[in-house]
Amino acid sequence: LQSGSLPVLGDMMRRYDPSHVLDITESFRKIKPNPGIGVDLIAGFPTEEREHHEETLDFIKKLSPSFAHVFPFSPRKKTLANLYNDRVGDREREKRACELRELTSSFTRKFVQSLAGEERPAVIERKHGDDYTARTDNYVIVRFQSPEEIRVSSRVKLLLISPDQGGKSMTGKFLEKLP
């Protein structure tokens, strides 16, 4: 996504607008139950006025993404963005990134909480003794134990029990190996 503001997306040379992203997301949510919708957001692009940042915050409230990777803009040599006169400044850029992280993490917690009680397919990512970490088909990290040996990269079905303390991952129960 990068931004929820059409003028900023134009300055970034993106060829889409936020309403198109929202339409696609809403269509996807109608056909796939509890999909994991992730976005990347850049806070404080050099041409981003405060009103553009507010547009992004408002858009994120409509989109309610499951996950977000938020980072402050940082200039890169030999890029067009580096040629813009910076109207934001480092302190304001960090403040905007914090606002976006706070907002998006609330959506992540709500999304993860909504999955309690669901059975989901997952892929094993790590093994530590009898403790496993897997990622579900909607991109949620689940920690669980298994009475049987399961190889990393194996597919399993898990019962999602409850969010972990931070609310960004879950505890689960192993149900079965999948082909």
Side-chain angles (χ1 to χ4, degrees):
L1 178 65
Q2 309 302 311
S3 175
S5 170
L6 188 55
V8 173
L9 288 171
D11 291 344
M12 290 177 171
M13 312 271 279
R14 300 294 191 258
R15 295 184 176 145
Y16 52 87
D17 74 42
S19 64
H20 183 67
V21 172
L22 187 60
D23 290 344
I24 291 170
T25 303
E26 287 176 351
S27 296
F28 189 63
R29 284 182 167 136
K30 287 178 183 174
I31 59 173
K32 179 94 172 139
N34 281 330
I37 305 293
V39 295
D40 284 349
L41 295 166
I42 297 174
F45 190 77
T47 62
E48 183 186 79
E49 300 290 344
R50 183 71 198 177
E51 69 187 55
H52 299 137
H53 177 67
E54 295 294 334
E55 288 173 6
T56 297
L57 290 169
D58 290 342
F59 180 75
I60 292 300
K61 290 173 188 172
K62 291 178 196 168
L63 186 67
S64 67
S66 313
F67 309 99
H69 178 217
V70 178
F71 47 97
F73 172 81
S74 58
R76 302 281 189 258
K77 291 181 181 178
K78 299 183 182 180
T79 64
L80 290 175
N82 198 35
L83 300 176
Y84 283 114
N85 187 17
D86 186 6
R87 300 183 218 162
V88 180
D90 291 340
R91 181 173 283 156
E92 180 64 19
R93 188 171 282 118
E94 287 296 331
K95 179 181 174 193
R96 291 178 189 182
C98 286
E99 289 173 0
L100 285 166
R101 284 186 193 110
E102 188 175 304
L103 176 61
T104 57
S105 65
S106 71
F107 289 115
T108 299
R109 285 189 300 276
K110 287 178 191 172
F111 173 68
V112 170
Q113 289 171 352
S114 76
L115 299 173
E118 284 192 14
E119 294 180 6
R120 302 294 295 211
V123 175
I124 305 295
E125 291 186 336
R126 291 193 176 113
K127 178 184 182 306
H128 305 283
D130 293 339
D131 296 330
Y132 292 85
T133 301
R135 192 168 304 262
T136 64
D137 63 333
N138 57 358
Y139 213 66
V140 173
I141 296 171
V142 182
R143 291 173 179 75
F144 67 99
Q145 292 188 334
S146 174
E148 58 184 275
E149 183 74 19
I150 309 171
R151 291 184 337 185
V152 171
S153 298
S154 296
R155 291 178 19 117
V156 295
K157 183 186 279 187
L158 302 174
L159 172 63
L160 307 184
I161 297 173
S162 64
D164 286 345
Q165 277 187 317
K168 294 184 178 184
S169 60
M170 297 195 81
T171 58
K173 179 180 178 187
F174 172 77
L175 297 176
E176 65 180 318
K177 288 183 185 178
L178 296 174

